[in-house]
């Protein structure tokens, strides 16, 4: 007797993006990845002899296992019950297997949410797991904590070795009053979390007096900076221990910006969301081949995503990136008291999966990082897989980038990036109808002026500002990733050298032309008058500014020739801020 077991981690908004603490977010993200990667070993330990458990696929927030029972009395209900115990942290043998793979991993199980399904038919198991995802509550309501138990735990935390002048009295008072966790603002107080108490301008001392929930505490401990290099080591084979440390916070990603940056760019952070195009269809084609199996497809996709992550992190670690993509943090001590002697990467991975990823990096690095991403996806190691019949498939992505103040709630920034990726995916599908069904990687980005996000949905916001319907929005705001390096170079040439009034095209005149097109409702059309005025302005300048915004390089917007002007004005303060990556040698790009 055999069954398919399918598991999905869900409710990211309530167990990962419910706080702006970077360690807690990556702790939840890494735990979801590690639990799915090690679920087969854990379930094998829980079931014991008489069962075989094979991993079909695993990655990010999903796992698919095949379980076979030698005992004819074994039932689907028994397997379902054991799986429930494993995913809730209630099985000691499974907890041991999880902790052996990643110390402390089992402590995260009660604080994450998983949909799951068991069925003899694979298709039914997958469908049932997807349905269960929407039938489950978005997040379980936090259980009330016994006040005596909470008091005892807080007192113990204050006495733990390594704490500074920790005083649990305030936390006990807040817990007694029924106040929630100071970080997630929802769950009851149960532990004392860490903070960095500044001793002087350059050093800080670890203190443990922050009233937090058990969930936040577990996630923060698992994702703390000191252990994060293990993620990059296991996922991409990168040994950061000898060259770089990781950022402690979103603030640290943008702190101490390079000199000369415009004020409006210094505090901005990019939240990039990548969603694979038609990965499900590629998987079906893989399985349709005689020699294709689900495990082989999982390995092939895993290889490309690991190469992509390695390429991105290696770029941030390159010589010459000091200040731009690495920073010597102002906070000199880690939470364990060890002094930091290496610069921190201005980069973090918030979610990492087969077809979904979320990265954060400084806003001023947007043109350079996106150009590098385009180069990497053009590399067969990152952007193509070889099918069982030796044919190749190009992997493409819908990419949304929200660029805003680092203090903007990460949950809202991630949601906006998701809407932008949806726009990119819709445009890719529309283009595919006239391109033989081939989907290309597109990028839709939005630059926010301040901390607050638009109160209206994305389509309504753009309609109100630019006077465009949804179809025209998708045409204008989505750029083809493959052409993006060349597009950025051209936009930088038109923009000219920052701070040099004699180079490039005056911003005020370009803004006036753009506003005129918007006021006349011609932004999405071929307006002869507007185009003539723009062309005359460009021709009046010297050097790279002579480049025409409507030449063949910008072929993605033939139906809306003013689209490049929209991007030029939106990215104005980011263009030319840091060097763009050098093009890969032809033999290296095709190796």
């Amino acid at each position: 007797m055999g069954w398919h077991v399918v598991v999905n981690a869900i409710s990211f908004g309530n167990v990962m993006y419910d706080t702006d603490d970077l360690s807690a977010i990556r702790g939840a993200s890494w735990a979801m990845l590690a639990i799915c990667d090690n679920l087969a070993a854990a379930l094998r330990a829980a079931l014991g002899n008489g069962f075989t458990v094979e991993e079909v696929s695993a990655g990010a927030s999903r796992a698919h296992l095949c379980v076979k029972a030698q005992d004819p009395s074994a039932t689907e209900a028994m397997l379902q019950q054991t799986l429930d115990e494993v995913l809730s942290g209630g099985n000691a043998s499974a907890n041991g297997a999880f902790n052996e793979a990643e110390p402390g991993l089992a402590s995260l199980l009660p604080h994450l949410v998983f949909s799951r399904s068991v069925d003899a038919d694979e298709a039914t198991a997958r469908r049932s797991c997807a349905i269960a995802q929407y039938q489950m509550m978005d997040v379980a309501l936090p259980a009330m904590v016994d006040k005596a138990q909470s008091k005892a735990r807080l007192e113990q935390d204050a006495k733990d070795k390594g704490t500074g002048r920790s005083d649990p009295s305030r936390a006990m008072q807040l817990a007694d009053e029924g106040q929630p966790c100071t970080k997630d603002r929802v769950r009851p107080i149960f532990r004392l979390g860490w903070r960095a108490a500044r001793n002087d301008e350059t050093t800080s001392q670890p203190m443990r007096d922050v009233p937090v929930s058990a969930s936040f505490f577990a996630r923060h401990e698992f994702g703390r900076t000191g252990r994060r290099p293990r993620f990059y080591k296991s996922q991409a084979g990168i040994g950061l221990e000898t060259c770089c440390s990781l950022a402690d916070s979103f603030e640290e990603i943008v702190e101490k910006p390079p000199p000369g940056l415009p004020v409006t760019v210094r505090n901005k952070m990019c939240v990039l969301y990548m969603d694979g195009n038609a990965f499900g269809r590629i998987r079906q084609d893989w399985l349709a081949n005689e020699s294709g199996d689900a495990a082989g497809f999982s390995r092939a996709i895993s290889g490309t995503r690991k190469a992509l992550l390695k390429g991105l992190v290696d770029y941030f670690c390159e010589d010459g990136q000091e200040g731009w993509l690495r920073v010597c943090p102002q906070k000199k001590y880690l939470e364990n008291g060890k002094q930091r002697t290496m610069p921190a990467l201005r980069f973090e991975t918030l979610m990492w999966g087969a077809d979904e990823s979320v990265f954060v990096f400084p806003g001023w690095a947007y043109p350079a990082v996106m150009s590098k991403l385009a180069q990497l996806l053009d590399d067969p190691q990152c952007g193509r897989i070889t099918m069982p019949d030796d044919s190749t498939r190009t992997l493409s992505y819908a990419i949304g980038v929200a660029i805003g103040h680092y203090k903007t709630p990460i949950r809202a920034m991630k949601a906006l990036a998701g809407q932008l990726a949806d726009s990119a995916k819709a445009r890719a599908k529309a283009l595919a109808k006239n391109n033989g069904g081939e989907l290309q990687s597109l990028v839709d980005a939005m630059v926010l002026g301040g901390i607050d996000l638009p109160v209206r949905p994305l389509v309504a916001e753009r309609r109100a500002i630019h006077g465009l319907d949804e179809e025209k929005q998708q045409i204008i705001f989505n750029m083809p990733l493959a052409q993006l390096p060349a597009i950025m170079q051209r936009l930088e040439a038109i923009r000219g050298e920052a701070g040099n009034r004699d180079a490039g095209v005056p911003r005020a005149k370009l803004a006036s032309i753009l506003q005129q097109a918007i006021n006349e409702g011609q932004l999405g059309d071929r307006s002869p008058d507007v185009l003539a005025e723009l062309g005359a302005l460009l021709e009046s300048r010297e050097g790279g500014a002579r480049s025409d915004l409507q030449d063949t390089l910008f072929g993605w917007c033939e139906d809306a020739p003013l689209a490049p002007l929209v991007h030029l004005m939106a990215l104005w303060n980011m263009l030319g801020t840091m060097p763009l990556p050098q093009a890969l040698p032809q033999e290296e790009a095709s190796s």
Side-chain angles (χ1 to χ4, degrees), residues 80 102 146 281 415 472 529:
Q80 182 74 60
E102 292 292 348
D146 179 77
R281 187 173 65 195
K472 282 294 185 181
D529 294 340

Side-chain angles (χ1 to χ4, degrees), residues 143-409:
M144 294 302 295
V145 177
D146 179 77
K147 292 184 178 180
Q149 185 182 10
S150 175
K151 179 180 179 181
R153 179 70 261 188
L154 292 170
E155 287 180 336
Q156 183 60 47
D157 282 350
K159 296 176 183 178
D160 279 353
K161 183 179 179 180
T163 57
R165 304 179 302 276
S166 299
D167 182 3
S169 58
R170 176 175 174 270
M172 290 181 182
Q173 179 182 353
L174 294 175
D176 190 60
E177 294 173 354
Q179 297 295 321
C181 167
T182 57
K183 295 294 186 178
D184 64 39
R185 303 291 181 181
V186 175
R187 299 174 180 87
I189 294 170
F190 190 68
R191 302 294 301 264
L192 287 180
W194 294 93
R195 68 181 175 92
R198 191 176 296 278
N199 294 330
D200 51 45
E201 293 184 358
T202 61
T203 64
S204 58
Q205 178 183 2
M207 297 289 294
R208 194 171 186 181
D209 58 2
V210 183
V212 298
S213 65
S215 172
F216 175 87
F217 183 88
R219 289 178 282 153
H220 183 274
E221 285 294 292
F222 195 72
R224 66 186 187 275
T225 307
R227 69 183 293 167
R228 187 60 177 175
R230 293 176 55 176
F231 166 81
Y232 292 102
K233 184 70 172 179
S234 63
Q235 292 301 309
I238 304 171
L240 293 177
E241 301 89 345
T242 60
C243 62
C244 293
S245 62
L246 281 302
D248 275 336
S249 64
F250 293 123
E251 179 181 9
E252 201 165 272
I253 287 178
V254 299
E255 78 173 8
K256 298 171 67 175
L261 285 180
V263 176
T264 55
V265 176
R266 296 173 190 172
N267 55 21
K268 279 189 168 49
M269 180 179 75
C270 294
V271 178
L272 183 152
Y273 174 66
M274 294 178 62
D275 186 15
N277 288 326
F279 274 41
R281 187 173 65 195
I282 298 175
R283 181 180 184 275
Q284 290 175 358
D285 293 344
W286 180 290
L287 297 178
N289 193 283
E290 291 182 357
S291 58
D293 62 343
F297 177 76
S298 180
R299 287 192 298 270
I301 291 295
S302 177
T304 60
R305 69 189 181 103
K306 289 183 177 181
L308 177 62
L309 181 61
K310 185 178 188 306
L312 282 173
V313 176
D314 283 349
Y315 176 58
F316 276 72
C317 293
E318 285 180 1
D319 293 338
Q321 301 291 22
E322 291 81 4
W324 297 112
L325 301 180
R326 295 195 300 277
V327 60
C328 290
Q330 293 178 352
K331 189 171 62 177
K332 299 298 182 182
Y333 288 84
L334 286 171
E335 294 168 351
N336 60 7
K338 293 182 180 179
Q339 188 170 9
R340 304 171 77 172
T341 58
M342 295 181 293
L345 290 183
R346 298 186 187 270
F347 176 87
E348 189 53 87
T349 307
L350 301 189
M351 186 165 70
W352 184 238
D355 62 345
E356 287 184 287
S357 303
V358 178
F359 305 117
V360 294
F361 52 90
W364 64 74
Y366 173 78
V369 172
M370 296 307 296
S371 296
K372 185 63 180 181
L373 181 60
Q375 291 180 359
L376 290 170
L377 288 179
D378 189 47
D379 185 337
Q381 293 186 2
C382 304
R384 288 192 272 285
I385 63 170
T386 301
M387 304 292 282
D389 60 0
D390 291 331
S391 64
T392 60
R393 289 291 184 88
T394 299
L395 303 178
S396 67
Y397 296 85
I399 303 172
V401 187
I403 308 172
H405 199 286
Y406 74 89
K407 288 186 178 181
T408 302

Side-chain angles (χ1 to χ4, degrees), residues 487-523:
I487 291 173
M488 289 300 169
Q489 290 177 0
R490 292 293 301 282
L491 292 181
E492 286 191 356
I494 297 171
R495 185 239 193 271
E497 181 184 357
N500 184 354
R501 297 178 62 88
D502 296 327
V505 181
R507 182 179 186 178
K509 292 185 178 180
L510 289 172
S512 176
I513 294 174
L514 177 61
Q515 192 59 51
Q516 175 189 344
I518 293 174
N519 293 341
E520 296 176 359
Q522 297 178 333
L523 183 58

Side-chain angles (χ1 to χ4, degrees), residues 457-494:
L458 178 64
V459 174
E461 179 73 10
R462 285 175 164 172
R463 182 184 295 116
I465 294 176
H466 298 94
L468 300 168
D469 60 27
E470 186 172 3
E471 182 180 0
K472 282 294 185 181
Q473 290 179 27
Q474 293 173 2
I475 293 174
I476 286 180
F477 289 104
N478 283 288
M479 287 191 290
L481 183 66
Q483 297 180 34
L484 195 139
I487 291 173
M488 289 300 169
Q489 290 177 0
R490 292 293 301 282
L491 292 181
E492 286 191 356
I494 297 171

